[in-house]
PDB file of all heavy atoms in Angstrom:
ATOM      1  N   PRO A  80      11.242  12.462   3.274  1.00 93.00           N
ATOM      2  CA  PRO A  80      12.110  11.263   3.226  1.00 93.00           C
ATOM      3  C   PRO A  80      12.742  10.971   4.569  1.00 93.00           C
ATOM      4  O   PRO A  80      12.656  11.761   5.498  1.00 93.00           O
ATOM      5  CB  PRO A  80      13.200  11.665   2.197  1.00 93.00           C
ATOM      6  CG  PRO A  80      13.120  13.142   2.145  1.00 93.00           C
ATOM      7  CD  PRO A  80      11.763  13.588   2.503  1.00 93.00           C
ATOM      8  N   SER A  81      13.313   9.774   4.646  1.00 92.00           N
ATOM      9  CA  SER A  81      14.000   9.318   5.870  1.00 92.00           C
ATOM     10  C   SER A  81      15.069  10.318   6.252  1.00 92.00           C
ATOM     11  O   SER A  81      15.815  10.808   5.381  1.00 92.00           O
ATOM     12  CB  SER A  81      14.600   7.950   5.569  1.00 92.00           C
ATOM     13  OG  SER A  81      15.079   7.418   6.790  1.00 92.00           O
ATOM     14  N   GLY A  82      15.091  10.697   7.498  1.00 93.00           N
ATOM     15  CA  GLY A  82      16.117  11.585   8.019  1.00 93.00           C
ATOM     16  C   GLY A  82      15.749  13.064   7.822  1.00 93.00           C
ATOM     17  O   GLY A  82      16.582  13.949   8.118  1.00 93.00           O
ATOM     18  N   SER A  83      14.547  13.382   7.356  1.00 95.00           N
ATOM     19  CA  SER A  83      14.224  14.788   7.086  1.00 95.00           C
ATOM     20  C   SER A  83      13.788  15.554   8.381  1.00 95.00           C
ATOM     21  O   SER A  83      13.562  16.735   8.316  1.00 95.00           O
ATOM     22  CB  SER A  83      13.115  14.883   6.056  1.00 95.00           C
ATOM     23  OG  SER A  83      11.963  14.161   6.431  1.00 95.00           O
ATOM     24  N   GLY A  84      13.675  14.864   9.511  1.00 96.00           N
ATOM     25  CA  GLY A  84      13.388  15.535  10.772  1.00 96.00           C
ATOM     26  C   GLY A  84      11.984  15.402  11.284  1.00 96.00           C
ATOM     27  O   GLY A  84      11.594  16.052  12.255  1.00 96.00           O
ATOM     28  N   LYS A  85      11.199  14.516  10.655  1.00 95.00           N
ATOM     29  CA  LYS A  85       9.805  14.352  11.065  1.00 95.00           C
ATOM     30  C   LYS A  85       9.661  13.897  12.528  1.00 95.00           C
ATOM     31  O   LYS A  85       8.948  14.507  13.322  1.00 95.00           O
ATOM     32  CB  LYS A  85       9.092  13.345  10.151  1.00 95.00           C
ATOM     33  CG  LYS A  85       9.227  13.626   8.670  1.00 95.00           C
ATOM     34  CD  LYS A  85       8.540  12.553   7.823  1.00 95.00           C
ATOM     35  CE  LYS A  85       9.078  11.151   7.947  1.00 95.00           C
ATOM     36  NZ  LYS A  85      10.474  11.015   7.356  1.00 95.00           N
ATOM     37  N   SER A  86      10.368  12.809  12.875  1.00 93.00           N
ATOM     38  CA  SER A  86      10.262  12.291  14.231  1.00 93.00           C
ATOM     39  C   SER A  86      10.834  13.314  15.245  1.00 93.00           C
ATOM     40  O   SER A  86      10.328  13.436  16.343  1.00 93.00           O
ATOM     41  CB  SER A  86      10.990  10.958  14.361  1.00 93.00           C
ATOM     42  OG  SER A  86      10.333  10.027  13.543  1.00 93.00           O
ATOM     43  N   THR A  87      11.883  13.956  14.825  1.00 96.00           N
ATOM     44  CA  THR A  87      12.502  14.963  15.730  1.00 96.00           C
ATOM     45  C   THR A  87      11.488  16.045  16.024  1.00 96.00           C
ATOM     46  O   THR A  87      11.312  16.420  17.230  1.00 96.00           O
ATOM     47  CB  THR A  87      13.739  15.595  15.030  1.00 96.00           C
ATOM     48  OG1 THR A  87      14.662  14.526  14.742  1.00 96.00           O
ATOM     49  CG2 THR A  87      14.429  16.590  15.955  1.00 96.00           C
ATOM     50  N   GLN A  90       8.913  14.701  18.412  1.00 94.00           N
ATOM     51  CA  GLN A  90       9.427  14.524  19.785  1.00 94.00           C
ATOM     52  C   GLN A  90       9.556  15.862  20.532  1.00 94.00           C
ATOM     53  O   GLN A  90       9.372  15.933  21.715  1.00 94.00           O
ATOM     54  CB  GLN A  90      10.768  13.817  19.735  1.00 94.00           C
ATOM     55  CG  GLN A  90      10.638  12.308  19.428  1.00 94.00           C
ATOM     56  CD  GLN A  90      11.944  11.688  18.993  1.00 94.00           C
ATOM     57  OE1 GLN A  90      12.918  12.395  18.677  1.00 94.00           O
ATOM     58  NE2 GLN A  90      11.976  10.378  18.929  1.00 94.00           N
ATOM     59  N   GLN A 125       5.228   3.977  16.239  1.00 72.00           N
ATOM     60  CA  GLN A 125       5.211   2.899  15.275  1.00 72.00           C
ATOM     61  C   GLN A 125       5.199   1.519  15.958  1.00 72.00           C
ATOM     62  O   GLN A 125       4.426   0.653  15.605  1.00 72.00           O
ATOM     63  CB  GLN A 125       6.441   3.036  14.356  1.00 72.00           C
ATOM     64  CG  GLN A 125       6.600   1.845  13.408  1.00 72.00           C
ATOM     65  CD  GLN A 125       7.814   2.015  12.513  1.00 72.00           C
ATOM     66  OE1 GLN A 125       8.459   3.074  12.569  1.00 72.00           O
ATOM     67  NE2 GLN A 125       8.106   1.064  11.735  1.00 72.00           N
ATOM     68  N   ASP A 201       3.341   8.618  14.985  1.00 91.00           N
ATOM     69  CA  ASP A 201       4.596   8.550  14.209  1.00 91.00           C
ATOM     70  C   ASP A 201       4.672   7.224  13.465  1.00 91.00           C
ATOM     71  O   ASP A 201       4.932   6.197  14.083  1.00 91.00           O
ATOM     72  CB  ASP A 201       5.800   8.711  15.141  1.00 91.00           C
ATOM     73  CG  ASP A 201       7.072   8.976  14.362  1.00 91.00           C
ATOM     74  OD1 ASP A 201       7.053   8.869  13.113  1.00 91.00           O
ATOM     75  OD2 ASP A 201       8.100   9.301  14.930  1.00 91.00           O
ATOM     76  N   GLU A 202       4.482   7.270  12.178  1.00 86.00           N
ATOM     77  CA  GLU A 202       4.594   6.117  11.304  1.00 86.00           C
ATOM     78  C   GLU A 202       3.830   4.950  11.897  1.00 86.00           C
ATOM     79  O   GLU A 202       4.277   3.792  11.865  1.00 86.00           O
ATOM     80  CB  GLU A 202       6.102   5.665  11.182  1.00 86.00           C
ATOM     81  CG  GLU A 202       7.023   6.762  10.619  1.00 86.00           C
ATOM     82  CD  GLU A 202       7.099   6.763   9.112  1.00 86.00           C
ATOM     83  OE1 GLU A 202       6.363   6.004   8.477  1.00 86.00           O
ATOM     84  OE2 GLU A 202       7.878   7.567   8.580  1.00 86.00           O
ATOM     85  N   VAL A 233       2.705  11.409  11.235  1.00 95.00           N
ATOM     86  CA  VAL A 233       3.924  11.374  10.490  1.00 95.00           C
ATOM     87  C   VAL A 233       3.930  10.191   9.558  1.00 95.00           C
ATOM     88  O   VAL A 233       3.573   9.080   9.919  1.00 95.00           O
ATOM     89  CB  VAL A 233       5.136  11.204  11.430  1.00 95.00           C
ATOM     90  CG1 VAL A 233       6.436  10.910  10.663  1.00 95.00           C
ATOM     91  CG2 VAL A 233       5.365  12.467  12.262  1.00 95.00           C
ATOM     92  N   HIS A 235       6.084   8.620   5.667  1.00 87.00           N
ATOM     93  CA  HIS A 235       6.841   8.997   4.494  1.00 87.00           C
ATOM     94  C   HIS A 235       6.125   8.501   3.219  1.00 87.00           C
ATOM     95  O   HIS A 235       6.668   8.525   2.122  1.00 87.00           O
ATOM     96  CB  HIS A 235       8.289   8.510   4.584  1.00 87.00           C
ATOM     97  CG  HIS A 235       8.451   7.042   4.826  1.00 87.00           C
ATOM     98  ND1 HIS A 235       8.848   6.551   6.034  1.00 87.00           N
ATOM     99  CD2 HIS A 235       8.206   5.990   4.040  1.00 87.00           C
ATOM    100  CE1 HIS A 235       8.890   5.236   6.001  1.00 87.00           C
ATOM    101  NE2 HIS A 235       8.482   4.881   4.797  1.00 87.00           N
TER     102      HIS A 235
HETATM  103 MG1  LIG B 422      11.027   9.006  11.996  1.00 77.03          MG
END
Side-chain angles (χ1 to χ4, degrees):
S81 189
S83 57
K85 307 179 297 292
S86 296
T87 303
Q90 285 163 349
Q125 173 178 357
D201 194 350
E202 303 272 5
V233 170
H235 55 254

